[in-house]
Amino acid sequence: MATADVVVSARVGDNAELFAQILELHVPKGSTVADVTYGLGVFWRCVPAGCYTLLASDIALKPDVSARAGATLTSGVDCRALPYRDSSLDCVVLDPPYMEGMYRRSVDHMAGSGTHAAFRRAYSAAAATEAGPKWHDAVVDLYEKACREAARVLVPGGVLIVKCQDEVSANKQRLTHVELITGGESLGLYCKDLFVLVRPNSPGVSRLKAQVHARKNHSYFLVFEKRRVAIRSVRDFRRDLSAGTAAPDLSSAPAPAHSTADELTREAPASVPTNPTEETAADTPTSLPRETVAEIPTNLTREPAASAPVSAPANMREGTAQTDLFGAPSTPDLAAKTASTAPAKRAARRAGRVGQGGGV
């Protein structure tokens, strides 16, 4: 049945509302779902009871958490070492503490103290972390180990739903969602969907002398699918993909001979459009199917004319006619026209009959 009521990728609201929509869109009813970081069960508040077989667990369940109808609660389960068999679950839900302030060797140094105690209670077991990576790397390390376990217990085609948030660590921007997407691909987990959740209220901010980064007021839900054939989205922009060799280092390249836009405009052939990309954009394919990139030559869209030079200005899109703006005319007609008019122009300049912008 057709409908205009669609799920959108970004919304302002809370976790429970968006999580219910994600399940509706990506996880068939009746599936077996393991929420391995159940916490207080906040995600499930808007999900009708009985729609899924829910296996709720956490490393330390809160004493006041009660089981939903049709759900089982298990405490003492580490998301990095799940008790389930290989390829036995339809869906895994992962929402560990995603702030580095929750990973400290001492409880006294953990975030969420004082007036933020409720935050610590909801998102952490309030226990010191063991030896291992520090700061943001400790966050990614937990995600990495949990995702490995999720990939193991999911059936082929199974779904992993991950909650995360980017953060600034040691005054450096750390894009957690990008690290998880690329890391998941190495496990055969394809990021099928991404949702942005914006908090409805303003984040609490202490007084700052100078702001260096934007304050985060959004988080992500990533939806991964376990695939038999891995998909890679990581790109190395330093390599010439068509030749399979490293591209030359352009950082030390000499500056172009023409330093001003006015000079380029005066010397450009009259037949060359000022913006070549606009005239051919409609004929240029914007992307190739991800699964077929390996079989399709990367330079398939290039169709240079027989007389086109080897290289073109950097701002010309692949797929357009490559005209050399700085060299000799590229067509016989233009060359003949230039040769025939050059003597007349020189004679006119000597006679002083040509002004700025004038003609012969």
Side-chain angles (χ1 to χ4, degrees), residues 18 49 95 175 177 293:
L18 180 55
D95 178 31
L175 302 179
H177 78 283
V293 169

Side-chain angles (χ1 to χ4, degrees), residues 76-348:
V77 176
D78 191 335
C79 63
R80 297 165 291 185
L82 297 176
Y84 310 116
R85 301 189 312 275
D86 295 358
S87 303
S88 61
L89 300 176
D90 301 309
C91 176
V92 173
V93 179
L94 178 65
D95 178 31
Y98 46 72
M99 295 174 56
E100 68 162 36
M102 296 298 177
Y103 299 80
R104 293 290 185 266
R105 305 296 168 81
S106 172
V107 176
D108 295 336
H109 297 165
M110 290 179 62
S113 59
T115 58
H116 295 83
F119 179 83
R120 183 192 293 185
R121 177 177 180 272
Y123 289 97
S124 172
T129 56
E130 65 276 8
K134 296 181 179 180
W135 318 119
H136 178 77
D137 291 334
V139 179
V140 178
D141 181 70
L142 188 148
Y143 272 110
E144 175 187 339
K145 293 173 180 176
C147 286
R148 281 199 203 126
E149 275 293 89
R152 177 184 67 81
V153 301
L154 283 172
V155 298
V159 172
L160 169 63
I161 302 174
V162 179
K163 178 73 184 299
C164 68
Q165 186 179 45
D166 301 339
E167 65 177 346
V168 174
S169 176
N171 207 33
K172 296 293 187 296
Q173 187 73 254
R174 303 300 297 266
L175 302 179
T176 309
H177 78 283
V178 176
E179 294 177 273
L180 297 184
I181 290 172
T182 55
E185 288 177 351
S186 66
L187 300 174
L189 298 173
Y190 155 64
C191 189
K192 182 180 180 181
D193 223 335
L194 179 150
F195 297 87
V196 179
L197 180 64
V198 180
R199 60 187 298 172
N201 55 351
S202 299
V205 181
S206 58
R207 298 181 63 182
L208 301 175
K209 291 184 178 180
Q211 184 175 2
V212 180
H213 301 90
R215 183 61 180 248
K216 302 288 187 295
N217 71 331
H218 70 283
S219 56
Y220 300 91
F221 277 95
L222 307 178
V223 180
F224 292 93
E225 180 184 31
K226 181 178 177 180
R227 296 177 60 95
R228 292 184 174 88
V229 179
I231 292 179
R232 297 286 184 265
S233 63
V234 178
R235 293 290 179 263
D236 187 348
F237 289 177
R238 299 169 302 173
R239 299 185 63 82
D240 182 354
L241 298 181
S242 61
T245 58
D249 184 5
L250 302 181
S251 59
S252 59
H258 304 286
S259 58
T260 66
D262 185 52
E263 291 175 344
L264 296 179
T265 304
R266 289 200 304 270
E267 296 188 20
S271 61
V272 178
T274 57
N275 188 358
T277 61
E278 293 182 358
E279 298 187 1
T280 57
D283 299 328
T284 304
T286 58
S287 63
L288 296 175
R290 183 76 65 190
E291 291 81 1
T292 59
V293 169
E295 292 80 25
I296 300 178
T298 57
N299 64 348
L300 186 62
T301 60
R302 300 185 182 129
E303 299 178 358
S307 59
V310 174
S311 61
N315 66 340
M316 294 182 66
R317 181 177 302 175
E318 293 181 355
T320 62
Q322 299 180 351
T323 305
D324 190 349
L325 297 179
F326 309 123
S330 59
T331 64
D333 293 340
L334 188 57
K337 179 179 178 181
T338 303
S340 63
T341 58
K345 288 184 178 180
R346 287 197 294 270

